[in-house]
Amino acid sequence: MFRKVLIANRGEIALRIIWACKELGIKTVAVHSDVDIDSLHVRFADENICIGPAPSRDSYLNITNLIAAAEISNVDGIHPGYGFLSESAEFAQVCQACNITFIGPSPQTIALMGNKAEAKKTMKAAGVPILPGSDGPVATVDEAKAIAAEVGYPIILKASAGGGGKGMRVVNSEGEMELAFQMAGSEAASAFGNGDLYLEKYLEAPRHIEIQILGDQFGNVIHLFERECSIQRRHQKLIEESPSPALTPMLRAEMGDTAVKGAQAVGYATVGTMEFLYDKDRFYFMEMNTRIQVEHPVTENVTGVDLVKAQIMAAAGEKMQWKQKDIKLTGHSMECRINAEDPHRFTPSPGRITTFHSPGGPGVRVDTAAYAGYFVSPHYDSLLAKLIVRGNTRKDSILRMKRSLESFVVEGIKTNISMHLKIMEDEDFQAGRLSTRFMDRFTN
Ligand code: ADP
């Protein structure tokens, strides 16, 4: 097991990792930018080191500074959390070269899955269903037009190096292709330093359903069922739940087995998520996220598995303590992402929090690094807290979420709590009639 782990992240996920390390008897080192000096992850880690000024590229994304901090504090592991460098093959490679274990996949696996066009090819070869489209990146507009004519419009252009919903364009007819191709290409180039695009059939109103994977270094891979993440805005998830109201036990088993097969094909040995689009009882692989996800707590709630601890143990070379048959799905869990943003215009709302009262009681978990007096910096993601509930049924979860949202008090900045309340009261939401287009009615 690790002696000491450096957490290359901030906010709620840095705290979540500290809690897991404490329970495993591992010492922790927090890193922080100079504006994050008063953050809770800094307070609760055993040691802390400033790694640079506020902009992420100078601190949380600065590999040289992070490695220097790791060397000074003499750690044997680095946990990247999510976002920032969590899916950087280069960072994983540098950690390896410095003899520090990167708590995640190998640099090769990150690179393979990080190129979404390549990942699709790999999964197709492993027998995982994918949406019809280009076989890898498309080089020219004419090639894109030719493939789109075969696949049939609408299609979606996506950045091979994409993430966070950037560099995607829906194209409804051939006339729109040229402009969309240029726009998506330059957006991808500036966001990811790689303008490669691939193309696939666009589904009008699918569900986003993903499978949680866990592997170890002995070739064991299991799944921990699904999370439905269809409630999104601009391709960013807002509400996640498990189990999905759409899946039958048969489809659940089929999706789980397929995801395990895909993960085994790349020798997967840690936590990860296979994301699928689901439409008319069929599912299609979209991408694999090679890290712990924001929404991991809903899976922890319905399976009883501590995913962050499992991830650390797998990285330490321990054999997995579960077989697939040991993993049971019990009850229902739901997460609302509470963002520091205007609930109507969705613009970020940084500033100082004056009052912070988070809900509690049976079945309620709040993962947050916020507190009264905390300053929400404009430099980082607007995720303020994750409100996670569990109930015996989906209906229990919704009622529990509603009362929790009602007693969640955040003053001094704006949050999207009122928007979540509206969703909990929506008839279609309550009936489980979800799709990735669900939020259209709240935003138009
Ligand atoms: P990113 O890596 O940027 O998050 P994804 O490939 O995971 O991008 O897609 C994000 C979201 O975009 C999906 O959850 C879905 O809402 C939408 N999307 C992606 N591909 C398609 C498609 N082929 N048809 C319909 N919606 C899609």
Side-chain angles (χ1 to χ4, degrees):
M1 188 46 70
F2 296 101
R3 216 177 1 89
K4 206 198 260 187
V5 163
L6 179 140
I7 298 144
N9 216 301
R10 64 184 298 284
E12 67 86 20
I13 193 64
L15 272 180
R16 172 72 187 87
I17 297 160
I18 291 172
W19 305 150
C21 287
K22 277 186 186 287
E23 291 176 22
L24 289 168
I26 302 168
K27 292 266 179 258
T28 51
V29 180
V31 294
H32 66 91
S33 66
D34 53 14
V35 294
D36 269 348
I37 180 78
D38 294 324
S39 291
L40 289 185
H41 73 286
V42 177
R43 183 177 312 178
F44 288 112
D46 296 301
E47 297 171 35
N48 62 80
I49 299 181
C50 181
I51 46 160
S56 303
R57 65 175 180 283
D58 300 323
S59 47
Y60 298 103
L61 290 173
N62 186 322
I63 294 181
T64 311
N65 291 6
L66 283 162
I67 294 294
E71 298 282 3
I72 291 166
S73 54
N74 191 25
V75 298
D76 48 0
I78 292 188
H79 197 305
Y82 54 68
F84 294 127
L85 293 169
S86 61
E87 291 178 290
S88 163
E90 184 194 353
F91 185 48
Q93 180 74 61
V94 174
C95 289
Q96 204 174 62
C98 296
N99 258 328
I100 301 168
T101 304
F102 176 83
I103 302 178
S106 68
Q108 293 76 17
T109 305
I110 298 178
L112 179 66
M113 291 294 122
N115 184 319
K116 291 164 69 174
E118 288 302 322
K120 264 186 82 175
K121 265 197 199 173
T122 308
M123 288 304 136
K124 187 180 174 189
V128 177
I130 58 166
L131 278 169
S134 63
D135 210 13
V138 274
T140 63
V141 183
D142 288 339
E143 194 187 334
K145 283 181 181 169
I147 298 166
E150 245 173 68
V151 169
Y153 288 92
I155 60 97
I156 184 167
L157 290 169
K158 297 165 87 169
S160 296
K166 289 200 199 84
M168 286 195 276
R169 278 278 185 300
V170 179
V171 186
N172 292 300
S173 63
E174 191 169 305
E176 293 176 17
M177 183 65 93
E178 188 133 8
L179 185 64
F181 194 82
Q182 280 163 9
M183 302 272 286
S186 58
E187 204 174 302
S190 70
F192 313 113
N194 172 355
D196 281 359
L197 299 175
Y198 66 104
L199 171 167
E200 68 189 19
K201 178 80 190 158
Y202 179 71
L203 301 174
E204 301 281 359
R207 289 169 178 259
H208 173 121
I209 300 180
E210 57 188 34
I211 304 285
Q212 176 67 52
I213 289 292
L214 174 61
D216 68 13
Q217 293 174 19
F218 300 87
N220 301 304
V221 181
I222 61 168
H223 72 82
L224 293 97
F225 304 105
E226 80 278 11
R227 292 183 287 262
E228 168 141 16
C229 314
S230 298
I231 308 297
Q232 311 177 341
R233 189 184 156 269
R234 294 223 177 124
H235 308 306
Q236 296 271 23
K237 298 163 188 167
L238 284 170
I239 299 177
E240 303 95 346
E241 60 181 294
S242 184
S244 158
L247 291 191
T248 59
M250 222 173 84
L251 263 164
R252 174 168 300 119
E254 193 188 333
M255 275 185 91
D257 291 347
T258 305
V260 167
K261 199 167 63 177
Q264 273 168 340
V266 294
Y268 209 71
T270 174
V271 296
T273 300
M274 293 271 213
E275 295 193 332
F276 295 93
L277 287 178
Y278 178 90
D279 191 35
K280 302 184 180 76
D281 297 337
R282 296 187 63 177
F283 56 92
Y284 310 92
F285 171 80
M286 201 166 32
E287 67 166 335
M288 181 167 196
N289 290 321
T290 54
R291 54 173 162 80
I292 192 79
Q293 297 213 205
V294 175
E295 59 271 26
H296 76 273
V298 298
T299 300
E300 296 185 324
N301 268 345
V302 294
T303 61
V305 173
D306 183 317
L307 285 168
V308 179
K309 278 207 257 181
Q311 179 187 26
I312 295 170
M313 284 156 77
E318 294 202 4
K319 199 164 169 190
M320 205 193 314
Q321 53 184 290
W322 305 278
K323 299 250 178 291
Q324 188 63 60
K325 64 172 174 32
D326 301 326
I327 307 295
K328 303 265 186 283
L329 200 166
T330 313
H332 181 274
S333 180
M334 186 177 281
E335 169 180 283
C336 284
R337 296 192 189 192
I338 311 298
N339 294 333
E341 66 188 20
D342 184 295
H344 308 292
R345 291 181 300 140
F346 299 100
T347 45
S349 176
R352 189 157 312 272
I353 297 175
T354 52
T355 308
F356 190 84
H357 172 80
S358 63
V364 178
R365 165 176 168 183
V366 180
D367 281 17
T368 184
Y371 56 90
Y374 178 70
F375 185 81
V376 178
S377 167
H379 288 283
Y380 311 111
D381 193 87
S382 62
L383 181 70
L384 188 70
K386 304 189 310 202
L387 173 54
I388 309 124
V389 299
R390 63 156 297 151
N392 291 329
T393 62
R394 185 168 190 270
K395 196 174 166 205
D396 289 344
S397 287
I398 293 175
L399 290 170
R400 191 158 270 170
M401 185 61 87
K402 234 183 104 192
R403 70 106 174 133
S404 301
L405 288 163
E406 280 163 357
S407 57
F408 206 150
V409 185
V410 183
E411 285 166 354
I413 57 162
K414 292 178 187 167
T415 75
N416 60 358
I417 291 174
S418 59
M419 180 207 71
H420 281 299
L421 265 170
K422 268 196 237 152
I423 298 172
M424 291 303 133
E425 277 156 16
D426 183 276
E427 247 179 57
D428 285 334
F429 182 80
Q430 290 179 356
R433 286 190 292 270
L434 314 180
S435 86
T436 56
R437 306 298 294 276
F438 180 90
M439 285 302 290
D440 290 2
R441 80 186 84 166
F442 288 86
T443 48
N444 288 339

